[in-house]
């Protein structure tokens, strides 16, 4: 998270503690303290790092294989071996495995028992059904002798985890947890419930602030307020963020230090500079009352002073996963029975709908970038404001036991929710369409029908229906009876999006764990290439005793240099060509790519010379070498927007782009042979160039042109048509024959070539939709951070709201 709160929690543990201290820290009790200070997705990273520390050199090869990116540049394994069901990145991981003695028989076994492995790919529990029969008995016997009985079991789980990582990454964390259980004991990942009162009483002091750090969407201040009620303590709360708030905070602390009361400062992450002053004031406190406690609530913010965090006791809170958990929390902490049961009886259903909407909004955050394209700071304050709004509207209808649902000001409620409260935080037009579709779906008079659906399945049938209830306790009882296992369809998402989420979590764990591996266990001097193993005695010269990470880097860089061409052609300018927008566009692309190619080859050669002992390390080259070894892409190389990927994949992708540029250079009308839009350095500029090209040829105004995109069906292209290739659609499929959208099981489907045309339309009809049309965004890559443009596609008979909620989009670049 690059957050100072994380830095202060685990930097000491991972990098500074001596071996004896680390062994002491492996105790279950202190481990629980650290786990309280981590987000749930990072607890497994913490645990796996502890596994490495405890095992030392044992199973080092096995665990390294689990977290390293493959060094394979171009796989020799045909995707046909798995019926094109796995990606090129997975094939590279698989080939990396087969280069190890342990997995030497794997490919032959997959080929000879193909149906078994294909079933494994589609299995609901592949971690329990990994095909057998490919293992080397001789290798396993030798490894068991080396490791001993207990560690051999760990090695075998690592072997299975490597297979799962390559072929079913969505299940990798299950195997990672098994490794933790084998080494640190069953249930190590479980964090016992925290008795906050006991912690405050026994583990904190009057000079150690208590930080309640939360993910966006969770306000932890109610935890302190509940504690003060149960302990009968006096509490002064101050919201930070204004000059008035700073003065009130100073006065509250000054009074509480003397009286022994408690102070709660809310949202201190909004004032990181002021926190530095607060830290000094706390340090200067003279004999504060022993009962005084200072609580700080904040969201993750790297600008919060790490020194303040180090002297604080920290808790990390995050919203509960799942709609059911969110609904339960809402009914317990936001609603009250007296408020919900107040006349008219229709009020209770509105409260329920508001809670369901808020829960769906929060749950979709887990599935970013499909649920929402980015993380928004929707929080409990939005929910409470919406509740006040609804009650105000209902109270305005008079003191009645019943009201006609048709008289509820639905339009006013929808407008405030979509434009002011939740909508006021959204800055992506398609996220806004999702919000509008949710609000319009829930807040209308049909919500008082007996079988009103809270969501619909992909076939249009109703899912859960609203409970037939009128009282707080009736709604709460219905919520408690909801199934523990939820479907993403409850939030309007495709059911298989859960697999994508688990794959993202696995990548996060592997990437973060690799990033905290300490290459400084093997130090390299900045003069001659002298290698020193920490605590290992004599120095060794490069070549004979070269440290492993430099040896691995040397091999990788040699492969990178071999992959990249020396140069590629350039465009010849003429008086005629310079007036062509498509020529000017391609010239710029080629010039930028050529310049970047020169930079890459030069810098890689410099590092290669150092690794081979032909030159000395400088601080700049050592930093570059370590960054490349960590599979990071140097900032100076990022001259165009690309998906986040390790440097080896980035270089392969760059080479692929160069190959396409060479193809374009060999055609006078490259726009007709198919342009890989996601592989362009500046795809938005290509869109502009094609528009200018058509406008220039026809002497039309740019403002009169609108993009039209259809699936290419083999027709001959005219001069106003531009062929686009390499795209995929997520959330639906685009029927080639009918040119309409259809719902499908797969989350992502490769599209055939598309034809882009610029059509002249009346200005007042631009961006208007027909009844059976929907706008579909075209994003640069799966992160959905960069919207290139939008196109109109026929939606057929599918409800538009369902399509928006499913996150239907076209992706221009994919791995």
């Amino acid at each position: 998270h690059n957050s100072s709160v994380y830095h202060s929690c685990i930097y000491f543990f991972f990098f500074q503690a001596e071996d004896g201290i680390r062994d002491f820290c492996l105790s279950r009790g202190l481990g629980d303290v650290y786990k309280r200070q981590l987000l749930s997705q990072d607890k497994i990273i913490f645990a796996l790092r502890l596994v490495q520390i405890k095992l030392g050199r044992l199973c080092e090869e096995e665990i390294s294989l689990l977290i390293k990116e493959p060094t394979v540049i171009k796989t020799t394994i045909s995707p046909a071996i798995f019926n094109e069901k796995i990606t090129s990145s997975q094939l590279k991981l698989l080939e990396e495995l087969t280069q190890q003695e342990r997995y030497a028989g794997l490919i032959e076994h997959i080929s000879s028992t193909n149906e078994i492995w294909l079933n494994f790919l589609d299995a609901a529990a592949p971690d329990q059904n990994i095909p057998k029969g490919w293992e080397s008995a001789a290798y396993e016997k030798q490894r068991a002798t080396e490791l001993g009985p207990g560690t051999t079991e760990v090695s075998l789980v690592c072997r299975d985890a490597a297979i799962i990582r390559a072929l079913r990454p969505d299940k990798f964390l299950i195997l990672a947890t098994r490794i933790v259980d084998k080494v640190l004991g069953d249930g190590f990942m479980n964090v016992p419930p925290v008795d906050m009162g006991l912690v405050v009483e026994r583990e904190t002091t009057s000079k150690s602030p208590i930080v309640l750090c939360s993910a966006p969407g969770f306000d932890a201040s109610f935890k302190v307020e509940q504690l003060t009620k149960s302990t009968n303590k006096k509490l002064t709360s101050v919201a930070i963020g204004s000059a008035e708030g700073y003065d009130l905070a100073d006065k509250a602390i000054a009074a509480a230090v003397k009286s022994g009361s408690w102070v709660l400062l809310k949202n201190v992450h909004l004032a990181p500079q002021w926190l530095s002053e607060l830290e000094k004031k706390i340090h200067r406190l003279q004999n504060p009352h022993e009962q005084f406690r200072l609580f700080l609530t904040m969201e993750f913010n790297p600008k919060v002073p790490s020194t303040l965090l180090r002297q604080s006791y920290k808790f990390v809170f995050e919203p509960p996963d799942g709609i059911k958990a969110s609904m339960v929390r809402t009914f317990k902490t936001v609603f009250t029975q007296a408020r919900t049961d107040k006349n008219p009886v229709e009020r209770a259903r509105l409260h329920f709908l508001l809670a369901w909407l808020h829960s769906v909004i929060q749950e979709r955050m887990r599935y970013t970038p499909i649920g929402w394209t980015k993380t928004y700071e929707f929080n409990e304050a939005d929910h409470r404001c919406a509740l006040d709004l609804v009650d105000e509207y209902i109270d305005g209808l008079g003191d009645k036991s019943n009201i006609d649902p048709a008289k509820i000001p639905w339009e006013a409620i929808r407008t405030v929710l979509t434009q002011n409260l939740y909508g006021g935080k959204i800055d992506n037009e398609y996220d806004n369409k999702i919000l509008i579709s949710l609000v319009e779906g829930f807040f209308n008079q049909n919500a008082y029908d007996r079988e009103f659906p809270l969501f619909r399945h992909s076939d249009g049938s109703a899912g859960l229906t609203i409970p037939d209830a009128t009282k707080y306790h009736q709604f709460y009882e219905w919520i408690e009876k909801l199934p523990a296992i939820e479907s993403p369809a409850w939030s309007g998402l495709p059911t298989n999006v859960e697999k994508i989420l688990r794959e993202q979590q696995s990548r996060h764990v592997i990437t973060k764990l690799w990033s905290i591996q300490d290459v400084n266990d093997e130090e390299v001097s900045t003069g001659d290439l002298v290698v020193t193993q920490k605590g290992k005695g004599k120095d060794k010269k490069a070549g004979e005793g070269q440290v492993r990470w430099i040896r691995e880097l040397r091999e990788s860089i040699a492969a990178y240099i071999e992959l990249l061409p020396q140069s590629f052609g350039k465009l010849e300018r003429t008086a005629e060509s310079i007036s062509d927008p498509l020529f000017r566009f391609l010239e710029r692309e080629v010039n930028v790519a050529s310049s970047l190619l020169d930079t890459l080859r030069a810098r890689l050669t410099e590092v290669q010379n150092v690794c081979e002992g032909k030159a000395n390390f400088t601080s700049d080259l050592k930093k570059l070498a370590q960054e490349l070894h960590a599979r990071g892409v140097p900032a100076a190389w990022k001259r165009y927007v690309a998906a986040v990927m390790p440097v080896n994949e980035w270089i392969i992708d760059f080479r692929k782009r160069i190959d396409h540029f060479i193809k374009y250079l060999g055609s006078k009308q490259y726009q007709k042979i198919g342009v890989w839009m996601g592989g362009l350095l500046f795809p938005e500029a290509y869109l502009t160039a094609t528009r200018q090209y058509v406008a220039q040829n026809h002497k039309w105004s740019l403002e009169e042109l609108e993009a039209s995109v259809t699936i290419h069906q083999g027709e001959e292209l005219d001069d106003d048509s531009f062929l686009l290739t390499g795209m995929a659609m997520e959330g639906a499929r685009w029927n080639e024959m009918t040119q309409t959208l259809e719902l499908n099981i797969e989350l992502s489907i490769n599209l055939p070539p598309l034809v882009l045309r610029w059509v002249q339309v009346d200005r007042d009809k631009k961006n208007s939709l027909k009844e059976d049309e929907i706008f579909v965004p075209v994003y640069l890559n799966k992160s959905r951070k960069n919207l290139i443009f939008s196109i109109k596609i026929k939606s057929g008979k599918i409800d538009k709201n369902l399509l928006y909620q499913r996150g239907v989009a076209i992706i221009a670049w994919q791995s």
Side-chain angles (χ1 to χ4, degrees):
H1 292 276
N2 295 323
S3 167
S4 55
V5 68
Y6 268 63
H7 177 78
S8 67
C9 287
I10 59 179
Y11 176 84
F12 165 80
F13 188 86
F14 283 160
F15 300 119
Q16 293 185 337
E18 296 297 331
D19 291 342
I21 298 175
R22 285 179 173 179
D23 291 341
F24 170 75
C25 290
L26 287 170
S27 66
R28 181 64 58 93
L30 193 52
D32 289 341
V33 171
Y34 276 96
K35 283 182 282 183
R36 290 178 207 153
Q37 302 175 15
L38 295 168
L39 288 171
S40 58
Q41 65 176 352
D42 292 333
K43 288 170 186 171
I44 185 65
I45 302 173
F46 174 77
L48 287 171
R49 185 63 173 139
L50 293 186
V51 165
Q52 289 183 289
I53 292 169
K54 186 168 184 179
L55 289 176
R57 298 294 180 185
L58 296 174
C59 289
E60 186 176 35
E61 293 178 8
E62 287 91 333
I63 293 178
S64 176
L65 201 58
L66 294 181
I67 61 178
K68 282 178 60 177
E69 290 295 331
T71 56
V72 174
I73 298 297
K74 190 173 183 180
T75 181
T76 59
I77 301 175
S78 169
I81 195 171
F82 283 109
N83 289 358
E84 315 278 343
K85 286 187 174 183
I86 65 175
T87 66
S88 61
S89 297
Q90 289 177 284
L91 289 172
K92 289 171 188 173
L93 278 170
L94 187 61
E95 185 161 342
E96 185 90 357
L97 290 182
T98 61
Q99 292 175 355
Q100 313 300 314
E101 181 183 354
R102 186 175 212 169
Y103 304 89
L106 187 57
I107 293 298
E108 183 180 346
H109 189 268
I110 292 172
S111 299
S112 60
T113 59
N114 196 244
E115 188 174 343
I116 293 175
W117 283 93
L118 288 175
N119 290 336
F120 164 75
L121 278 187
D122 296 329
D127 55 292
Q128 299 173 14
N129 297 287
I130 298 175
K132 302 297 181 183
W134 54 270
E135 304 90 335
S136 167
Y139 175 88
E140 297 300 342
K141 183 178 180 180
Q142 177 188 345
R143 193 63 176 145
T145 302
E146 294 170 351
L147 296 174
T151 312
T152 296
E153 291 185 25
V154 178
S155 175
L156 292 174
V157 178
C158 289
R159 183 189 69 187
D160 290 346
I163 299 289
I164 291 292
R165 180 197 174 192
L167 300 179
R168 283 296 301 272
D170 58 306
K171 300 294 183 180
F172 175 77
L173 294 187
I174 295 176
L175 273 297
T177 303
R178 284 185 200 165
I179 295 170
V180 172
D181 289 343
K182 287 286 184 184
V183 178
L184 302 179
D186 291 340
F188 182 86
M189 289 295 297
N190 300 330
V191 182
V194 180
D195 185 336
M196 194 167 166
L198 205 60
V199 170
V200 171
E201 179 185 350
R202 297 184 180 180
E203 300 182 30
T204 66
T205 69
S206 56
K207 296 193 74 171
S208 60
I210 302 154
V211 171
L212 283 70
C213 193
S214 62
F218 191 97
D219 181 6
S221 59
F222 77 94
K223 297 273 188 182
V224 182
E225 292 162 355
Q226 288 178 341
L227 182 60
T228 55
K229 289 179 182 177
S230 63
T231 56
N232 222 13
K233 295 285 186 180
K234 180 183 177 183
L235 177 70
T236 304
S237 298
V238 179
I240 298 300
S242 65
E244 182 183 5
Y246 305 149
D247 293 338
L248 290 173
D250 290 339
K251 292 176 183 177
I253 292 172
V257 164
K258 298 177 182 177
S259 65
S261 59
W262 290 359
V263 175
L264 169 62
L265 305 183
K266 299 180 180 180
N267 298 323
V268 296
H269 62 282
L270 299 176
Q273 291 183 331
W274 179 78
L275 284 178
S276 298
E277 297 299 319
L278 177 65
E279 178 192 358
K280 295 174 185 176
K281 291 176 183 177
I282 295 171
H283 183 72
R284 290 196 298 263
L285 289 177
Q286 297 292 327
N287 301 319
H289 194 291
E290 64 178 12
Q291 295 299 314
F292 165 68
R293 294 293 184 274
L294 175 62
F295 297 85
L296 310 174
T297 68
M298 67 173 71
E299 293 179 1
F300 296 121
N301 187 336
K303 294 182 180 179
V304 173
S306 58
T307 48
L308 172 65
L309 292 167
R310 287 195 183 111
Q311 72 181 65
S312 304
Y313 194 98
K314 295 163 285 292
F315 292 94
V316 171
F317 298 98
E318 52 192 321
D321 289 342
I323 289 176
K324 179 179 179 178
S326 181
M327 292 287 287
V328 168
R329 187 166 64 89
T330 292
F331 270 73
K332 284 185 175 181
T333 63
V334 179
F335 296 170
T336 63
Q337 184 168 348
R339 183 171 185 175
T340 299
D341 289 348
K342 181 182 176 182
N343 281 337
V345 295
E346 287 76 15
R347 184 192 305 269
R349 181 163 294 210
L350 279 174
H351 281 198
F352 174 86
L353 288 169
L354 193 59
W356 187 268
L357 171 69
H358 183 78
S359 299
V360 168
I361 287 173
Q362 292 280 30
E363 181 66 5
R364 290 182 69 95
M365 204 83 74
R366 292 179 60 222
Y367 300 101
T368 303
I370 296 174
W372 303 106
T373 60
K374 59 187 288 188
T375 299
Y376 294 106
E377 295 186 5
F378 301 128
N379 53 44
E380 201 171 276
D382 300 317
H383 196 180
R384 292 182 183 276
C385 287
L387 182 64
D388 292 340
L389 165 81
V390 166
D391 279 345
E392 186 175 338
Y393 281 130
I394 297 303
D395 291 342
L397 297 176
D399 186 11
K400 303 174 184 178
S401 59
N402 291 91
I403 56 173
D404 181 357
K407 293 185 177 180
I408 295 174
W410 296 109
E411 185 61 33
I413 293 173
R414 290 193 293 261
T415 299
V416 175
L417 290 175
T418 57
Q419 295 185 19
N420 300 93
L421 295 178
Y422 296 104
K425 296 183 176 181
I426 292 176
D427 57 9
N428 178 289
E429 63 176 294
Y430 287 95
D431 285 342
N432 198 49
K433 290 179 189 293
I434 292 171
L435 177 65
I436 290 172
S437 70
L438 291 170
V439 171
E440 289 184 347
F442 295 141
F443 289 89
N444 59 76
Q445 67 184 74
N446 296 331
Y448 285 88
D449 294 345
R450 290 192 55 145
E451 297 297 320
F452 179 74
L454 294 171
F455 72 91
R456 291 189 179 277
H457 295 293
S458 57
D459 61 3
S461 62
L464 289 172
T465 57
I466 198 165
D468 186 15
T470 58
K471 297 294 183 182
Y472 174 96
H473 74 276
Q474 294 173 328
F475 282 110
Y476 188 74
E477 288 173 3
W478 181 88
I479 293 167
E480 288 194 310
K481 292 177 182 177
L482 286 172
I485 299 176
E486 302 177 8
S487 167
W490 292 19
S491 304
L493 293 160
T495 54
N496 55 0
V497 75
E498 190 76 35
K499 183 180 179 182
I500 303 299
L501 173 65
R502 290 195 293 264
E503 288 178 357
Q504 289 176 344
Q505 291 170 338
S506 296
R507 282 196 297 272
H508 170 81
V509 168
I510 291 168
T511 302
K512 287 291 184 182
L513 188 57
W514 176 255
S515 72
I516 59 176
Q517 301 303 302
D518 192 5
V519 298
N520 290 312
D521 282 345
E522 299 177 298
E523 293 181 335
V524 183
S525 74
T526 56
D528 295 330
L529 191 60
V530 177
V531 177
T532 306
Q533 297 272 347
K534 275 190 179 177
K536 302 296 181 183
K538 294 183 179 180
D539 294 351
K540 297 181 181 181
K541 292 291 180 181
E544 176 189 350
Q546 198 170 43
V547 294
R548 188 174 68 178
W549 75 269
I550 290 185
R551 188 170 63 250
E552 292 174 349
L553 180 61
R554 185 185 66 214
E555 294 169 359
S556 296
I557 286 180
Y560 299 158
I561 293 175
E562 184 180 356
L563 181 70
L564 294 171
Q566 293 282 350
S567 61
F568 62 100
K570 294 186 178 182
L571 289 168
E572 292 185 15
R573 278 195 170 206
T574 65
E576 180 182 355
S577 65
I578 196 61
S579 64
D580 183 350
L582 294 177
F583 174 90
R584 293 197 302 269
F585 164 78
L586 186 57
E587 182 184 47
R588 182 194 178 202
E589 291 275 311
V590 168
N591 288 344
V592 173
S594 181
S595 172
L596 180 55
L597 175 62
D598 292 342
T599 299
L600 263 59
R601 290 191 62 87
R603 296 294 279 165
L604 288 171
T605 301
E606 286 179 307
V607 177
Q608 184 183 48
N609 289 338
V610 171
C611 290
E612 293 177 350
K614 298 176 181 178
N616 294 334
F617 255 124
T618 63
S619 57
D620 173 58
L621 284 176
K622 183 180 179 183
K623 181 181 177 181
L624 177 60
Q626 290 180 335
E627 188 169 15
L628 292 173
H629 176 260
R631 297 289 188 255
V633 180
W637 297 4
K638 297 178 181 178
R639 300 184 190 176
Y640 57 90
V641 178
V644 176
M645 65 185 94
V647 69
N648 56 324
E649 294 292 333
W650 187 89
I651 289 176
I652 293 168
D653 176 67
F654 181 60
R655 171 58 196 260
K656 186 178 176 183
R657 293 171 191 255
I658 289 175
D659 290 342
H660 278 264
F661 289 141
I662 293 172
K663 183 178 74 170
Y664 305 152
L665 289 170
S667 173
K668 291 183 178 180
Q669 289 188 308
Y670 69 90
Q671 70 273 22
K672 291 186 180 182
I673 64 173
V675 170
W676 176 33
M677 197 166 191
L680 298 173
L681 306 187
F682 308 101
E684 297 90 346
Y686 180 66
L687 198 68
T688 301
T690 59
R691 190 180 184 187
Q692 291 173 340
Y693 180 82
V694 172
Q696 185 172 299
N697 285 350
H698 292 277
K699 295 183 170 49
W700 290 339
S701 167
L702 290 172
E703 285 70 27
E704 296 174 333
L705 298 182
E706 183 176 74
S708 170
V709 178
T710 57
I711 295 177
H712 185 226
Q713 296 182 320
E715 72 273 19
E716 186 176 348
L717 301 181
D718 58 28
D719 289 342
D720 292 347
S721 301
F722 308 88
L723 198 64
L724 307 177
T725 62
M727 294 190 171
M729 175 168 277
E730 292 184 343
R733 68 182 295 266
W734 195 353
N735 188 298
E736 187 173 349
M737 300 304 296
T738 63
Q739 300 279 347
T740 60
L741 294 176
E742 298 174 351
L743 299 182
N744 63 301
I745 298 175
E746 295 85 2
L747 187 63
S748 179
I749 294 181
N750 291 336
L751 290 172
L754 306 179
V755 180
L756 165 68
R757 295 182 177 90
W758 288 100
V759 182
Q760 188 180 31
V761 296
D762 293 337
R763 296 190 184 188
D764 57 346
K765 292 183 179 180
K766 278 189 69 176
N767 299 322
S768 61
L769 287 173
K770 296 178 182 177
E771 189 63 31
D772 64 341
E773 289 181 330
I774 186 176
F775 277 120
V776 174
V778 179
Y779 291 107
L780 177 59
N781 53 51
K782 289 177 181 288
S783 71
R784 302 196 179 199
K785 292 180 179 178
N786 304 93
L787 177 66
I788 302 176
F789 67 120
S790 301
I791 63 175
K792 297 176 184 177
I793 302 179
K794 292 181 180 179
S795 56
K797 297 179 180 179
I798 306 173
D799 180 22
K800 293 181 182 181
N801 285 344
L802 180 59
L803 291 171
Y804 283 129
Q805 290 172 28
R806 286 172 65 90
V808 175
I810 292 175
I811 307 299
W813 182 96
Q814 50 184 333
S815 58

